Every structure is written in C-alpha cells, then in structure tokens.
Amino acid sequence: MTASAMAAEFDDVARWTADAVERLGERYAIPAACRGSANPSALAWLAEACELRPGSVLLDVGAGLGGPAAWAAGRFGVRPILLEPMPAACSAGVRLFGLPVIMADGDRIPLRAGSVDAAWCLGVLDTVHDKGAVLSEIRRVLPPGAPLGLLAVVARDPQVRPAPEGNLFPTSPQLTKLLDGAGFDLVEQVDQPADAPLSWTRRVERVAAAVAARHRADRAHVLAAHQSESFTRLFASGQISMQLIHATRRPTGRASEQFPDGAQISTPTGDGFEAEVEAELSLAESSDPQRAAALPVPDGDGATAGPAFEYVSLHGRAVPPRGTAGRTP
Ligand SMILES: C[S@@+](CC[C@H](N)C(=O)[O-])C[C@H]1O[C@@H](n2cnc3c(N)ncnc32)[C@H](O)[C@@H]1O
C-alpha cells in the first residue's frame, strides 16, 4: 500500500476513531476498533477454532486499534499482545484498551521463537506485499502445533479490477499455498459467517459518523473513504470475499502433507536481528524497570510467555505515553 493511503486508513483514521470513541463512550470501543471487518460471529469462530484459553498469550499481528484482541481478552480471558506498525493505531490500543503494544512490522516480530500461545492476523495480508515473510515470522514465534487464526480478503480471480490502492488480494488456493510454504497446516477455511447484529453495526456507524463530522474535508478522510467505497463495490460484485482460516504451526522437520514438494520455510530474521530484538527489549524494560520487574519474562524456550515491556519501537519511532497518545502523528 502506498504511504499516503496506508497512513490515511490505518493511522489518521485510527487516531480519529479513538478520539471519537473517547467522546462517545466505552461501549463503542470494540465495534469501532475492529477495523478488519471482523464481527462477533467471526471472532467467536476464530476464538473457538484456536481454542483460546484464559491466561494464554495471543499475539495479534497487524492489530490495528486492538478491537479483536480486546474482544478476545474480555470473552476468553487471553492476554493479548498487539503488534502494529502504525503509531496512532498503537496508541489507540493503549488508550482504548490498555493493552501491551509492539510497534513493528509483521515480517520482523521482536519476540523470541515459540514465545506466544496463539496468533491472529485479521484483515492484514491483502495490505502486505510479502505475505510469505509475515506468515513465516508468525510461525517462528509460535510453538509447534500452536494455532493461527486468519481473517483474509481473497480474490475470486487473480485480477481484481479496480483494485483499491495498495491491496494485493490472494486467491484462496494461493493463500493455502502461502500458508503451507510458511510452515502451517491448514485445519479449516470457511466463508465469513453472518453479519453483525444491528446494535454492533449501529455503534460502528455512529463512530464513523462522528469521525466524518469532524474530518470530512481532510485529505486523509477522503482517501480512506475512497478505499472503503472500492472495497464495498468489490464485495458487492463478488470479486472479493472474506474467509476465516484456522491453521496450526507445523513442527520443524515434518514435510507438508498437502504440498510434498512445497516451498521451504523461509526465516526472514537476518543477521543481527536477535541482537536487535534483545536491545529493544532491554530498552523497553529499562524505561520502566519497576513494572518490568513485576512482570514475567519469557524463558529461553518461550515456555512462560509474557511480555516484560509495554512498547517496543524497532525503527526509532516513539509511541507517545498513555494519556498523551493520539495527539502526535
Ligand atoms: C484492515 S486493518 C485490520 C486491523 C485489525 N487486525 C482489525 O481486524 O481490526 C490492517 C492492519 O494491518 C496493518 N499492517 C499493514 N501492513 C502490515 C505489516 N507489514 N505488518 C503488520 N501489520 C501491518 C495496518 O497498519 C492495519 O492496522
């Protein structure tokens, strides 16, 4: 996705959405912060498929404002970690839900191998150029057999016209092959279940209206609205649709059953990455040593998952502290 469209849809609108929720009230937070179009039935399907349990660590890659992860924490008692590259969306996750957020791209996750219990990645892959790299990196941080829940926008045919700016939709078979190549076994792939209840949709619409009332004339709002209209047209024409996917991390060394000659599992972690991660974690811990000391630290095998940090910035971009979030870029 181009920088401007990406920033408009996932950063500016994220900040405005968090602002609007703070004005309107808490009951608007989760519906408005589900930006990948997941609804309660889709989230319940993913949570049940992944067998989410109280206390287990759920990494949400491309978490946006954190609505789906907050929903999972509230309904299933998981401990979510949000991973999201856009600063205002990161801030929103903290402002609205008080969840731990890592500001990073999905193809370089600053967590140790096998350190989380489950992962979600909802409405993200079509915005990512190297989908295999993100999936491989998610695989790295999961232990063998651990579940991945995906909400994916898939194309009926390889060519989608006109494609919304920056979106590359895989077809369903392409996605299956990508998962296999990244080292996941596909368990189930279904169409997105029924629509959200009216009360959920109305809360989403109320927040969207509050955002539009203040920002309609803003270029970022116009860009984001244009993207949204393109999506609506493509869904209506059947060129794209949403699927829910449950996959599990294949144990190392076991060949794919579906694609015996399938692609090798790539590990996008280059030289120095581990050192960079360690440095980032130390930095984050040292910024609040008391809090860090009180939290569990993942052991070498990732057996006791649990972040000892609240923010990590891999690219030197600062996420504003709680309370001031959302008023900077
Ligand atoms: C449609 S939103 C979905 C947000 C959230 N998953 C949800 O369902 O509410 C897509 C999100 O993916 C994030 N994203 C885009 N490229 C990414 C990447 N390379 N790694 C991780 N996240 C990415 C965007 O910033 C955006 O927040």
Side-chain angles (χ1 to χ4, degrees):
M1 178 172 286
T2 62
S4 59
M6 182 96 157
E9 202 176 355
F10 301 141
D11 212 39
D12 295 308
V13 174
R15 182 171 58 254
W16 299 335
T17 300
D19 291 343
V21 167
E22 284 179 348
R23 291 194 301 277
L24 291 170
E26 198 184 332
R27 74 188 183 91
Y28 292 89
I30 289 182
C34 284
R35 307 290 300 173
S37 303
N39 62 37
S41 351
L43 294 171
W45 189 94
L46 290 164
E48 291 292 353
C50 294
E51 297 184 49
L52 297 184
R53 279 193 292 271
S56 60
V57 173
L58 172 69
L59 175 68
D60 192 356
V61 175
L65 292 84
W71 182 94
R75 305 294 192 282
F76 283 74
V78 296
R79 292 185 292 152
I81 303 175
L82 313 184
L83 183 129
E84 165 61 43
M86 303 306 274
C90 290
S91 298
V94 178
R95 289 169 69 188
L96 299 181
F97 307 113
L99 292 175
V101 181
I102 301 172
M103 187 160 71
D105 281 353
D107 59 3
R108 284 171 70 81
I109 301 175
L111 293 173
R112 293 176 207 199
S115 62
V116 304
D117 300 313
W120 278 4
C121 185
L122 312 184
V124 178
L125 286 181
D126 56 289
T127 69
V128 170
H129 182 68
D130 192 346
K131 304 175 203 323
V134 170
L135 290 171
S136 296
E137 189 60 346
I138 295 174
R139 178 191 184 274
R140 185 184 64 77
V141 299
L142 288 169
L148 165 67
L150 282 181
L151 183 150
V153 183
V154 294
R156 190 179 51 199
D157 305 308
Q159 288 293 339
V160 169
R161 289 184 204 281
E165 200 178 327
N167 286 85
L168 294 162
F169 305 103
T171 62
S172 193
Q174 281 169 344
L175 186 56
T176 307
K177 199 162 183 181
L178 275 167
L179 278 164
D180 185 74
F184 284 99
D185 289 327
L186 180 63
V187 180
E188 198 174 3
Q189 189 164 10
V190 301
D191 290 336
Q192 154 99 308
D195 287 344
L198 199 52
S199 94
W200 174 285
T201 312
R202 282 186 176 146
R203 279 173 281 165
V204 174
E205 288 171 354
R206 177 93 192 272
V207 173
V211 169
R214 290 205 178 189
H215 302 285
R216 198 185 311 274
D218 198 301
R219 184 173 170 274
H221 192 274
V222 174
L223 262 176
H226 181 71
Q227 288 285 101
S228 166
E229 282 157 21
S230 306
F231 266 84
T232 304
R233 272 197 295 273
L234 291 171
F235 278 121
S237 69
Q239 285 197 73
I240 58 172
S241 62
M242 268 194 213
Q243 290 194 333
L244 302 180
I245 291 161
H246 169 214
T248 52
R249 182 216 196 265
R250 188 181 306 137
T252 312
R254 185 164 69 66
S256 155
E257 282 156 20
Q258 195 172 6
F259 300 97
D261 303 321
Q264 290 199 333
I265 296 160
S266 69
T267 45
T269 53
D271 284 349
F273 179 72
E274 292 295 336
E276 189 181 352
V277 169
E278 291 303 324
E280 291 287 353
L281 291 178
S282 307
L283 190 72
E285 287 171 19
S286 67
S287 67
D288 190 347
Q290 262 185 339
R291 183 183 158 77
L295 289 168
V297 181
D299 67 24
D301 298 318
T304 41
F309 50 84
E310 193 141 38
Y311 294 118
V312 174
S313 162
L314 264 184
H315 306 295
R317 294 177 297 182
V319 176
R322 199 168 184 178
T324 62
R327 286 189 274 278
T328 45

